[in-house]
């Protein structure tokens, strides 16, 4: 079977959608090397070129700026692709008219829920693209049951057309506990305090950073260990920094630049607790990643976070600052999650099993 992918995010996106694309592609190549894979991207120049066989990369022959949305169909047909998979909420316009079956992974409909994070024109475009994908795709992969429910309730998608297939976490999060040398290196590299709470991720309104900081302020004095926030954003980041400055909190609550992906597991392992009180997530992968590192986690009881966390985190109401604060205190007083229970939970997200679900979906579609 010859499977084509919209691989733009795999080549150029360092975070969520890019990680999903690269992880899926790597797992398919590892477990199903007998299949043929093609990667369609408008520009393959990136830090991730080494992950792809150049002979499998298909780029536009001209300079059509709309190639990924429209012109790509001719290249898909020319390559004799048996199935096309849009990995990041998109499919080429009119893909259903080519006669080639298609799968689209829809990660979330955040634009329709937390509207403050998106300009109005972006929301219109994303809504149109989502409707088109639901209408024109052969099958849909939702990365959580919560996302599937959103597609049904908000976009009237046919439940029978949607398969929930979780995203496995990167293997680096299964690392053993840090050695003393590695621990000392990370502590020195990032000038970490002896104890700290941690948030890693984008600085966006839906991530609920300001209420998280205000919850930290309400902690009993003895529990106010430093809060380190690694991430970046636009206007919301400036709003956060202005608030910290106005409250004279810059030293105790620190907004730092993002760290390399390979250092995130170490930061999780060394933290007293990991905070992730997001208002909405398509899946909430950082919750699962932190748990895999043996970390204590405080997260929201809403959206998809309970799917990612199972029974292991401390859950809070993200709309209540008091609830977040109480959850942090509870987490600090708890022991780290039981290793056996963590392992049992992670079995749900086994990369071999999840990749098999993807391949079975491909085969079911192409064999009909």
């Amino acid at each position: 079977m010859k499977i084509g992918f919209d691989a733009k995010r795999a080549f150029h996106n360092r975070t969520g959608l890019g990680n999903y694309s690269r992880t899926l592609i790597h797992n398919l190549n590892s477990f199903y090397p007998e299949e043929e894979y093609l990667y369609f991207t408008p520009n393959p120049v990136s830090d991730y070129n080494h992950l792809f066989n150049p002979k499998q990369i298909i780029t536009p022959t001209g300079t059509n700026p709309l190639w990924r949305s429209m012109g790509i169909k001719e290249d898909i047909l020319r390559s004799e692709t048996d199935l096309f998979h849009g990995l990041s909420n998109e499919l080429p316009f009119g893909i259903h008219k080519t006669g080639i079956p298609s799968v689209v992974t829809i990660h979330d409909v955040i634009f329709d829920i937390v509207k403050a994070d998106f300009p109005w024109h972006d929301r219109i475009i994303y809504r149109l693209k989502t409707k088109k994908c639901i209408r024109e795709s052969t099958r849909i992969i939702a990365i959580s049951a919560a996302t599937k429910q959103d597609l049904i309730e908000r976009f009237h998608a046919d439940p029978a057309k949607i398969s929930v297939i979780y995203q496995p976490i990167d293997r680096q999060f299964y690392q053993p506990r840090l050695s003393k040398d590695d621990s000392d290196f990370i502590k020195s590299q990032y000038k970490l305090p002896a104890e700290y709470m941690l948030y890693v991720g984008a600085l966006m309104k839906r991530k609920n950073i300001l209420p998280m900081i205000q919850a930290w302020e309400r902690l009993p004095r003895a529990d106010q260990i430093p809060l380190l926030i690694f991430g970046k954003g636009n206007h919301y980041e400036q709003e956060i920094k202005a608030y910290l400055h106005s409250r004279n909190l810059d030293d105790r609550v620190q907004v730092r630049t993002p760290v390399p992906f390979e250092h995130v597991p170490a930061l999780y392992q060394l933290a007293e607790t990991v905070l992730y009180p997001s208002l909405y997530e398509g899946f909430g992968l950082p919750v699962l990643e932190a748990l895999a590192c043996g970390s204590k986690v405080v997260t929201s009881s809403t959206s998809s976070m309970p799917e990612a966390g199972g029974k292991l985190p401390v859950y809070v109401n993200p709309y209540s600052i008091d609830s977040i604060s109480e959850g942090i205190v509870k987490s600090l007083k708890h022991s780290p999650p039981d290793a056996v229970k963590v392992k049992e939970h992670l079995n749900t997200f086994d990369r071999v099993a999840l990749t098999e679900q993807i391949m079975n979906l491909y085969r079911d579609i192409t064999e009909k």
Side-chain angles (χ1 to χ4, degrees):
M1 177 168 40
K2 189 181 289 188
I3 304 162
F5 298 96
D6 177 354
K8 179 184 176 181
R9 305 286 185 183
F11 281 93
H12 295 284
N13 190 308
R14 292 178 176 273
T15 55
L17 297 180
N19 288 337
Y20 172 85
S21 300
R22 287 185 294 275
T23 299
L24 185 147
I25 288 168
H26 171 79
N27 288 340
L28 286 169
N29 275 286
S30 298
F31 305 132
Y32 299 95
E34 70 278 9
E35 307 296 350
E36 185 175 352
Y37 305 106
L38 300 174
Y39 311 112
F40 294 80
T41 179
N43 183 358
V45 178
S46 80
D47 294 340
Y48 303 108
N49 282 6
H50 64 284
L51 300 177
F52 302 92
N53 182 339
K55 295 180 180 179
Q56 296 173 296
I57 299 172
I58 296 178
T59 56
T61 53
T63 58
N64 181 1
L66 299 178
W67 176 78
R68 186 165 165 255
S69 297
M70 297 182 179
I72 192 174
K73 293 196 298 293
E74 285 70 29
D75 291 290
I76 294 172
L77 286 166
R78 194 177 299 115
S79 67
E80 299 183 340
T81 300
D82 295 310
L83 178 143
F84 187 81
H85 187 168
L87 296 171
S88 52
N89 307 324
E90 293 187 53
L91 284 173
F93 286 96
I95 184 71
H96 61 303
K97 296 179 181 178
T98 65
I100 297 171
S102 63
V103 176
V104 62
T105 297
I106 298 183
H107 297 257
D108 56 64
V109 291
I110 294 169
F111 61 87
D112 207 49
I113 297 173
V114 188
K115 298 180 180 179
D117 279 338
F118 300 88
W120 66 269
H121 46 84
D122 283 351
R123 296 200 306 270
I124 291 173
I125 292 170
Y126 294 151
R127 189 168 179 85
L128 288 172
K129 285 184 175 181
T130 300
K131 287 182 174 181
K132 177 184 70 66
C133 285
I134 290 171
R135 182 175 64 252
E136 297 185 356
S137 62
T138 308
R139 293 288 294 274
I140 299 165
I141 292 174
I143 64 168
S144 68
T147 293
K148 176 177 179 176
Q149 195 59 34
D150 288 336
L151 292 173
I152 295 167
E153 292 180 357
R154 292 175 175 271
F155 292 88
H156 310 294
D158 178 1
K161 192 174 179 176
I162 307 172
S163 298
V164 175
I165 303 179
Y166 293 118
Q167 175 181 353
I169 61 175
D170 192 277
R171 288 172 295 167
Q172 72 164 355
F173 292 97
Y174 291 97
Q175 293 176 4
R177 298 299 297 178
L178 289 172
S179 67
K180 186 178 185 307
D181 287 346
D182 288 340
S183 176
D184 289 344
F185 169 77
I186 292 295
K187 288 177 180 178
S188 173
Q189 176 87 358
Y190 294 104
K191 297 180 173 57
L192 299 177
E195 297 180 306
Y196 64 91
M197 290 178 253
L198 177 68
Y199 169 85
V200 177
L203 305 184
M204 303 171 70
K205 191 173 183 66
R206 71 177 172 87
K207 300 292 187 177
N208 221 23
I209 310 298
L210 272 175
M212 179 180 74
I213 293 169
Q214 291 161 352
W216 180 92
E217 289 184 272
R218 295 187 188 183
L219 295 175
R221 196 70 182 169
D223 292 327
Q224 282 186 331
I225 63 176
L227 169 58
L228 306 185
I229 299 169
F230 289 89
K232 65 179 180 179
N234 293 317
H235 63 279
Y236 191 59
E237 178 179 355
Q238 300 312 311
E239 188 178 341
I240 292 167
K241 289 180 176 178
Y243 179 85
L244 293 175
H245 186 70
S246 71
R247 305 285 288 183
N248 198 28
L249 293 174
D250 304 79
D251 290 337
R252 302 282 286 163
V253 180
Q254 301 175 14
V255 177
R256 300 187 177 190
T257 56
V259 298
F261 186 58
E262 59 270 20
H263 288 175
V264 174
L267 291 176
Y268 281 154
Q269 286 193 27
L270 293 170
E272 291 300 310
T273 191
V274 175
L275 309 184
Y276 203 72
S278 179
L279 298 176
Y280 177 91
E281 296 293 327
F283 178 50
L285 193 62
V287 172
L288 191 60
E289 293 170 343
L291 290 171
C293 293
S295 305
K296 296 185 283 186
V297 177
V298 178
T299 191
S300 306
S301 59
T302 59
S303 183
S304 62
M305 270 70 79
E307 291 180 71
K311 298 179 180 179
L312 299 172
V314 172
Y315 288 105
V316 299
N317 175 0
Y319 297 95
S320 167
I321 294 171
D322 283 339
S323 176
I324 299 170
S325 186
E326 290 164 7
I328 295 172
V329 171
K330 186 177 179 181
S331 180
L332 290 173
K333 296 187 182 331
H334 276 189
S335 300
D338 179 78
V340 173
K341 291 181 179 178
V342 170
K343 186 176 181 181
E344 289 174 353
H345 180 61
L346 292 176
N347 285 341
T348 304
F349 308 94
D350 175 71
R351 68 192 190 106
V352 177
L354 293 176
T355 308
E356 182 180 20
Q357 290 178 33
I358 296 277
M359 184 53 68
N360 287 342
L361 179 65
Y362 291 165
R363 289 172 176 168
D364 180 59
I365 293 169
T366 54
E367 291 170 3
K368 284 185 176 178

